[in-house]
Amino acid sequence: MKKYRLFAVISAACICLSILYSVVGVSQTPQSQVLLSTNPPLEKILPFEAGTQRKQSPVKFTLQAVDAGGKLLNNALIKLQISTPPRNPLLTTDFPMVEGTKLLELEAAAPNGKLEFEQMLPIRGNYQIQVNVSPVVANAFASYQQTLNLNVRENPVKYKYFAVIAAILLSLGLLGGWVIGGQEEIKEGEIAPQSVRLLLSALTVVAIVTLLFINITAEVAEAHGDAHAHKNEKIAPSISQSQGMEVRITGDKLATVGKLANLAVEVKDSTTGAAIQDVGLRVSAIALEDDLTVFAYQGFPNSEGKLIWQEQFFDGAPHKVEVEAISLPESKRQFPVVKVAQSVEVEGIAPPMYIRLIGLFYFTAIVGMGMAIGLLIQHRKELPVRGN
């Protein structure tokens, strides 16, 4: 009887080890994946900087859909979604209304398994790129999805500016604490010495001016788009025909910061209305105020002769969406470049009041730290005098 029990225990152990080995083997089996590369490299990517004279360019993304053996998947359909870094109430960015939103949604054919596009990244932090890869031809390969992370560091110049401002505020607080700590005697009928009252009045004025500056700056940012809405800019028509082919750009003409705008390009035969696929498309979104490209893509229309994408215009200024239809070398249809474009007015949104007050709170805290240090120094100087 004991022999049978021992045999049963050994059999059960062997079965468990076999199952465990199978699970480990499956987990270590190479799987299809998406490879991401950027130009410039990740460590050199900086977020968008408003109002600078420095030349800025969007980041070039290259996504490669590969199988378990690392070979590119041909005739793939890649759908991606880029989400901005999540909102942090205590450490806001230059564009707080962009935090925790969708930046781009794009679905495009990748005949060679590779998708390339350019996108300006507005803020620092960890971006999430959700990629879904599926075959154009049914059952050519198994569909899969993957989430990629892209961490963008803050511009080092911002830290230098903050250090200078913090040093100035700390010095002012230190001076104020020194004056208060060495205050003269209070005269009859006075709540505080004259020097202290003058100092507190000056600090109050500074706080009011700072608060007004923050609010006025926010209102100017909100009306940023309207101020440049009527800038003279030659824009191609939204519909153009050439050699029996019609290229049309459609979508939202009014966008809002923090929300995706729907955009599409359609290529069809102007006579029959049939979709045309054997044509190349160069798409770009340009901020007119700085003549800055914020998004660019070169690819092909889908089976319906359309290219559809959603783009967020994070800067509250007018933009231009421009599309160029080009003939492919292998196509029988040869034609000169056809340009279509559409202007997009962008509605800027002022940040909530609590976000505007965060900076004022930090500045006031730095001044308060300086005052505390100044008071402590004066207090320690008076201790030996009182001891004598």
Side-chain angles (χ1 to χ4, degrees):
M1 194 70 177
K2 291 183 179 179
K3 182 186 294 186
Y4 289 113
R5 289 181 180 176
L6 180 61
F7 179 76
V9 171
I10 294 175
S11 300
C14 290
I15 293 173
C16 292
L17 289 175
S18 299
I19 295 174
L20 180 62
Y21 179 79
S22 300
V23 172
V24 173
V26 170
S27 63
Q28 292 180 348
T29 301
Q31 298 179 351
S32 300
Q33 61 178 326
V34 177
L35 304 178
L36 170 66
S37 60
T38 61
N39 186 21
L42 178 59
E43 62 274 9
K44 294 185 178 181
I45 297 177
L46 296 177
F48 173 74
E49 185 177 356
T52 181
Q53 299 298 324
R54 179 178 61 88
K55 183 180 179 181
Q56 301 182 84
S57 301
V59 179
K60 183 178 181 180
F61 290 82
T62 301
L63 299 176
Q64 299 183 75
V66 299
D67 59 14
K71 184 180 179 181
L72 288 169
L73 294 171
N74 294 326
N75 297 322
L77 184 65
I78 300 179
K79 181 178 182 180
L80 66 89
Q81 180 186 96
I82 301 180
S83 300
T84 60
R87 183 166 294 145
N88 187 340
L90 299 180
L91 293 173
T92 61
T93 61
D94 292 345
F95 298 90
M97 302 308 296
V98 176
E99 299 170 8
T101 62
K102 302 270 191 336
L103 183 63
L104 175 68
E105 287 189 3
L106 174 65
E107 182 176 357
N112 58 354
K114 185 184 296 186
L115 175 63
E116 294 181 333
F117 65 96
E118 297 179 39
Q119 174 64 53
M120 182 71 72
L121 302 178
I123 57 178
R124 68 173 187 272
N126 186 40
Y127 289 80
Q128 277 197 346
I129 306 176
Q130 296 180 349
V131 186
N132 188 296
V133 181
S134 59
V136 175
V137 180
N139 302 321
F141 59 85
S143 301
Y144 65 95
Q145 55 184 344
Q146 185 176 344
T147 300
L148 306 170
N149 292 296
L150 184 74
N151 190 43
V152 177
R153 65 190 181 97
E154 182 61 279
N155 193 332
V157 175
K158 300 286 182 70
Y159 295 117
K160 295 180 181 179
Y161 289 160
F162 177 77
V164 172
I165 295 175
I168 295 174
L169 294 176
L170 191 65
S171 301
L172 291 175
L174 182 64
L175 177 61
W178 180 278
V179 173
I180 294 177
Q183 58 181 312
E184 64 267 17
E185 296 182 0
I186 301 176
K187 298 179 181 179
E188 185 178 354
E190 292 182 339
I191 300 177
Q194 183 179 6
S195 59
V196 176
R197 287 186 278 115
L198 289 175
L199 176 63
L200 294 176
S201 298
L203 290 176
T204 302
V205 171
V206 171
I208 293 174
V209 170
T210 305
L211 183 59
L212 287 174
F213 174 77
I214 292 174
N215 282 275
I216 292 173
T217 303
E219 295 301 327
V220 170
E222 186 175 10
H224 184 51
D226 295 336
H228 301 274
H230 303 289
K231 180 179 179 180
N232 293 327
E233 177 73 23
K234 292 183 179 180
I235 297 179
S238 59
I239 303 175
S240 183
Q241 294 184 358
S242 176
Q243 298 184 3
M245 182 182 64
E246 179 182 289
V247 183
R248 178 194 301 262
I249 182 171
T250 60
D252 297 336
K253 295 184 178 181
L254 177 62
T256 304
V257 173
K259 297 181 180 180
L260 292 173
N262 298 303
L263 297 161
V265 181
E266 183 178 4
V267 185
K268 62 182 180 179
D269 190 294
S270 58
T271 304
T272 63
I276 296 177
Q277 297 177 251
D278 58 340
V279 61
L281 296 175
R282 286 198 293 250
V283 181
S284 59
I286 303 169
L288 296 180
E289 183 182 34
D290 302 313
D291 194 24
L292 177 65
T293 300
V294 296
F295 168 74
Y297 167 73
Q298 181 170 341
F300 316 93
N302 59 18
S303 58
E304 299 176 352
K306 296 181 180 180
L307 174 65
I308 302 173
W309 78 101
Q310 290 81 41
E311 170 82 8
Q312 180 186 163
F313 301 100
F314 54 84
D315 187 14
H319 286 65
K320 174 181 66 172
V321 178
E322 188 174 77
V323 178
E324 294 182 351
I326 58 175
S327 56
L328 302 176
E330 66 275 11
S331 175
K332 296 180 180 180
R333 188 188 301 267
Q334 297 296 315
F335 55 91
V337 176
V338 180
K339 287 187 178 182
V340 290
Q342 178 171 294
S343 60
V344 180
E345 299 296 332
V346 183
E347 179 185 1
I349 300 179
M353 180 59 71
Y354 79 91
I355 292 181
R356 306 183 201 182
L357 294 176
I358 288 177
L360 179 62
F361 170 77
Y362 288 146
F363 293 155
T364 304
I366 294 173
V367 174
M369 290 173 58
M371 294 181 68
I373 295 173
L375 287 171
L376 183 61
I377 294 175
Q378 285 286 27
H379 178 68
R380 289 186 175 181
K381 284 180 60 179
E382 292 178 0
L383 287 179
V385 176
R386 292 176 182 177
N388 294 334

